[in-house]
Amino acid sequence: MVLMARLRIAAVLAFGAARSGCGGDKAEDVHSVWRAGDGAPIVSTVFYVTDREPDKAWPGGFAKHWGDSPSCGATEATIPSLNLPNQAIPTGKIELVSPLQCGSGMVGIASAISLAAKAKGCNEAFLYIHGFNTLFNGAVLRAAQMVDDTKSGCIAATFDWTSEGEIGRYIPDIEHSGYAAPLLAEFLRALAAQNLRIDVLGHSMGNRLLLQSLSALAKRTDPPRDDFIDQMILTAADVGADPVNNDFAHLLADAHPFVHRTTVYASRDDAVLAISDVAHGNVPRAGHRPIGDAKLQTPNGSDHIVDVVDASDAPAELLGHSYFAMSYEAVSDTALVLRDRQIAARSDTL
């Protein structure tokens, strides 16, 4: 009976994904939540670190196979404006600008990001870490969209781990996200050494990778400096949060010293995380728990803050998993978070 129930749930998830075109960052679904007066797209540069296998036949030059070594570079991302009613949604596109040397310990790409920030007269970078069911071009486009739509980041970057970009490949995606954790830890450490203001947004399974990497850094004898991340935003976190054995709370506590403010967006209407609950033996996901659940939070310090936002009412696609980037309400709230606006001052945003 349990197996049949799980099969039925998986079938519903697959049907919903087919109908909604989502459940991950698919390039064809990435567009601005705003519309310029002339409807013109936004073009911006996005730096990347990926552990995918290079393949010129794929968009952006990277396939869905794990490469077991990093590639770094910069792309030019074109993000379409919000479409008008009854108007087809145009697809964003990316073009490779130039490959860059990752450098020992990711110092090369971190230095390139820092130099680009200084050339623009700023000292900050926004890093996006995608979830499952995402290919390279989707990761790049979503990073560009979030920076452009929030008008908060100076330099956009993405850490692209090897998701296979298929709704039915959830378990392989879990494995690949785990392989990427040491590389992300190196990248974060290199960014911290550049003395940039760093904001990080993780989505879904990407939060598992982000928190695992920060936890590993916390256990080093030479950890990065405190507060090297200004805003850490965890959206739809696919991380176990069982009250009896709360992995999420442990990982948050490890990451705590490195982060000025952590904002957790959770939605009880997230169908993808409902499926993940079942797939993980009915262990609740952190991004599926409502606001006000004290077991979800870690204590607030004077300069280390954890806010939990109930995003259940935020408009989203059919599966309710990508509200963080697909609704102007969620994007508007994220823009205020990136400006370090306290949660009490943005309570009516969502």
Side-chain angles (χ1 to χ4, degrees), residues 7-257:
L7 288 174
R8 283 197 297 271
I9 292 171
V12 170
L13 177 56
F15 174 74
R19 289 288 303 277
S20 68
C22 207
D25 285 336
K26 312 301 285 185
E28 60 269 23
D29 298 317
V30 180
H31 59 84
S32 175
V33 298
W34 313 113
R35 182 175 179 82
D38 58 2
I42 297 172
V43 180
S44 58
T45 299
V46 179
F47 290 88
Y48 67 84
V49 173
T50 184
D51 63 357
R52 294 180 188 271
E53 184 177 85
D55 188 334
K56 293 181 180 179
W58 285 75
F62 294 96
K64 60 180 181 178
H65 302 122
W66 182 51
D68 194 22
S69 61
S71 296
C72 302
T75 64
E76 186 176 82
T78 301
I79 306 298
S81 284
L82 181 67
N83 59 310
L84 294 172
N86 301 317
Q87 182 184 48
I89 299 175
T91 299
K93 62 180 182 179
I94 64 172
E95 293 182 10
L96 183 65
V97 176
S98 63
L100 298 169
Q101 292 296 319
C102 295
S104 176
M106 295 287 107
V107 172
I109 184 64
S111 297
I113 291 171
S114 179
L115 287 171
K118 291 174 182 175
K120 292 183 69 173
C122 65
N123 192 46
E124 58 187 271
F126 175 96
L127 176 64
Y128 174 63
I129 306 168
H130 63 82
F132 99 113
N133 189 27
T134 299
L135 294 173
F136 177 78
N137 57 347
V140 169
L141 289 169
R142 190 67 84 192
Q145 181 231 326
M146 290 304 295
V147 167
D148 293 336
D149 276 1
T150 59
K151 299 294 186 290
S152 302
C154 169
I155 298 296
T158 186
F159 181 85
D160 171 57
W161 55 276
T162 310
S163 164
E164 294 190 13
E166 296 181 26
I167 194 75
R169 300 289 287 171
Y170 180 77
I171 300 302
D173 275 9
I174 290 177
E175 288 189 316
H176 290 149
S177 70
Y179 301 158
L183 180 60
L184 177 57
E186 278 191 58
F187 185 36
L188 290 170
R189 184 177 179 81
L191 287 173
Q194 295 295 324
N195 291 315
L196 292 164
R197 167 188 159 145
I198 303 167
D199 297 318
V200 183
L201 188 152
H203 178 228
S204 191
M205 198 181 290
N207 292 297
R208 187 183 312 193
L209 172 57
L210 171 59
L211 292 173
Q212 183 180 349
S213 300
L214 290 172
S215 179
L217 288 174
K219 293 173 173 59
R220 289 181 60 118
T221 56
D222 55 344
R225 59 185 169 86
D226 283 3
D227 275 6
F228 80 87
I229 296 174
D230 188 58
Q231 305 294 327
M232 182 170 72
I233 302 170
L234 310 178
T235 65
D238 191 0
V239 183
D242 190 325
V244 178
N245 186 18
N246 197 327
D247 297 345
F248 186 65
H250 283 296
L251 290 168
L252 266 188
D254 288 344
H256 211 48

Side-chain angles (χ1 to χ4, degrees), residues 239 241 246 248-249 252 264-266 285-298 306-309:
V239 183
N246 197 327
F248 186 65
L252 266 188
V264 180
Y265 287 97
R285 303 288 94 190
H288 200 209
R289 312 241 330 233
I291 192 170
D293 184 346
K295 294 189 176 82
L296 186 66
Q297 304 182 56
T298 58
V306 178
D307 292 329
V308 182
V309 179

